[in-house]
Amino acid sequence: MKLLKNILMFCGVLFIVGTLIFATTSTELVSTDNKTTIANDTIEKNVAAEYRISSIDIPSDLNFAGEVVPQEDPEIMERVDREFLVNTYWQSNALLLMKRAHKYFPVIEPILAKNGIPDDFKYLAVAESGLTNVVSPAGATGFWQIMRETGREYGLEVNSNVDERYHLEKSTEVACRYLNKWKEKYGSWSLTAAAYNAGPGSINKFMGIQQVDNYWDLLLGDETGRYVFRILAIKEILSNPEKYGFHLDEEDYYTAVPTFTVEIDEPVTSFADFAQQYEINYKILKRHNPWLREPHLNNSSGKKYAIEIPNKGYYRETK
């Protein structure tokens, strides 16, 4: 009986070993020409062979609105490097910013130029909102992240029915006036940008405590401390996309739909009905006029409003 048990045990061991050898042989991996072969089947690898992750060569002539970045300072360069790495290797976000910039920069650039604001400040709008009509936890709204009281102070209509912080052209005009005000005070575009983000009260406080008079020497909170550095990285990457590994064809970019303007100076009871008059729907009307915050317009004062209507043929027909 004992002999029989030993024989059966030996046969079991042989069976297990044989199974393992067969499994190993049948699933042998052979890698050739960036493909992996399992037995006679070939599958593509998930990661492209040409994909490489490396450090980034920082340009030696960084400047913000013509103000030279002190790149000889190692502390400054660590902060620059961080923003270049974060914004280069967050590829999906960078691609979206490039696509949106192609659509919205042509609106922003001439307004900045008309008001004497350096062109680099279009990248401030990118840093603030990603060129979307977002609302911050503090209530800052739109591409330029304008607070309610600031908007009203600078002449925007801000209420539950109409909020012109969502109006790209009007909010850009307000941002320009705000920036010019603080450039006159600080004499520096980088400090002006920091004040735009943190508020002039905070910048004045930190400058007084730390006894310095420029952005590069200020110790600030994480968001404002990174702010101008982030703008620098966004500016460089969006200006030279292929240098940083981004390849877009012309048809990849977002483009603006041509529009015409309809002026109204009376209440509108239903923007859904109003939209149908121009063979579009409510969604498309709001897409072009996000400053209209409700599905109707009160306008008890008879104020004149300009409504943007897309040209025919750019959206699918509504039924």
Side-chain angles (χ1 to χ4, degrees):
M1 190 68 176
K2 185 175 181 181
L3 177 62
L4 180 60
K5 286 183 179 180
N6 289 338
I7 292 171
L8 289 173
M9 185 179 294
F10 180 74
C11 290
V13 171
L14 286 178
F15 175 79
I16 293 170
V17 171
T19 301
L20 290 173
I21 293 172
F22 175 78
T24 303
T25 303
S26 63
T27 59
E28 182 179 359
L29 301 180
V30 179
S31 296
T32 58
D33 298 327
N34 303 317
K35 295 181 180 179
T36 301
T37 302
I38 301 179
N40 294 322
D41 297 323
T42 300
I43 61 171
E44 296 287 344
K45 286 185 177 179
N46 289 329
V47 180
E50 65 271 15
Y51 187 67
R52 297 289 184 271
I53 298 175
S54 63
S55 189
I56 295 172
D57 291 330
I58 307 298
S60 60
D61 58 349
L62 289 179
N63 74 87
F64 175 68
E67 296 177 7
V68 176
V69 179
Q71 291 179 251
E72 69 282 358
D73 186 322
E75 190 270 343
I76 295 291
M77 287 309 296
E78 281 192 25
R79 294 162 72 187
V80 168
D81 189 53
R82 174 184 180 177
E83 299 308 321
F84 269 76
L85 288 170
V86 168
N87 288 282
T88 298
Y89 288 118
W90 189 6
Q91 295 97 328
S92 59
N93 187 63
L95 283 169
L96 282 170
L97 297 181
M98 292 170 193
K99 288 169 176 276
R100 292 174 189 153
H102 188 268
K103 180 178 181 179
Y104 295 115
F105 277 0
V107 178
I108 294 171
E109 289 166 347
I111 298 175
L112 295 179
K114 181 185 73 173
N115 287 278
I117 302 296
D119 192 64
D120 281 2
F121 275 86
K122 65 190 180 189
Y123 302 106
L124 181 146
V126 178
E128 283 286 336
S129 66
L131 299 178
T132 58
N133 276 315
V134 295
V135 179
S136 78
T141 297
F143 278 39
W144 294 94
Q145 289 291 276
I146 297 171
M147 296 295 291
R148 179 184 295 269
E149 292 309 314
T150 302
R152 289 173 173 168
E153 178 187 347
Y154 283 83
L156 296 180
E157 182 177 352
V158 181
N159 54 57
S160 61
N161 193 226
V162 169
D163 190 340
E164 292 180 328
R165 293 177 296 170
Y166 291 94
H167 193 298
L168 180 54
E169 290 87 349
K170 290 185 178 183
S171 63
T172 303
E173 290 281 359
V174 166
C176 288
R177 290 171 58 194
Y178 189 87
L179 291 166
N180 272 325
K181 175 181 178 179
W182 295 111
K183 171 58 163 61
E184 185 176 347
K185 172 179 174 58
Y186 293 119
S188 159
W189 287 118
S190 52
L191 276 176
T192 297
Y196 192 95
N197 179 253
S202 293
I203 298 303
N204 295 341
K205 172 186 173 183
F206 287 123
M207 288 174 67
I209 292 172
Q210 299 173 32
Q211 299 181 26
V212 294
D213 60 0
N214 69 86
Y215 176 79
W216 314 109
D217 289 333
L218 271 175
L219 177 62
L220 299 165
D222 187 58
E223 181 181 344
T224 309
R226 295 178 60 182
Y227 191 64
V228 176
F229 295 92
R230 185 175 176 221
I231 294 172
L232 287 168
I234 292 171
K235 169 189 171 183
E236 171 65 17
I237 296 164
L238 266 61
S239 299
N240 303 285
E242 292 192 1
K243 177 179 175 182
Y244 297 93
F246 297 96
H247 301 274
L248 291 91
D249 296 324
E250 189 63 27
E251 61 268 23
D252 294 329
Y253 292 99
Y254 302 149
T255 55
V257 171
T259 63
F260 61 94
T261 301
V262 173
E263 292 188 341
I264 58 173
D265 58 4
E266 56 189 20
V268 176
T269 56
S270 169
F271 275 122
D273 292 338
F274 181 89
Q276 289 175 16
Q277 297 177 40
Y278 299 97
E279 300 180 36
I280 57 174
N281 58 32
Y282 178 74
K283 178 184 73 173
I284 299 302
L285 181 73
K286 284 296 297 290
R287 178 180 175 87
H288 286 274
N289 302 275
W291 51 276
L292 296 171
R293 303 310 298 164
E294 294 181 308
H296 60 273
L297 180 65
N298 297 331
N299 200 14
S300 57
S301 65
K303 179 179 177 178
K304 185 177 288 187
Y305 293 93
I307 309 278
E308 295 292 326
I309 304 294
N311 291 354
K312 291 183 179 180
Y314 286 88
Y315 296 103
R316 61 190 180 87
E317 293 184 10
T318 57
K319 307 200 177 179

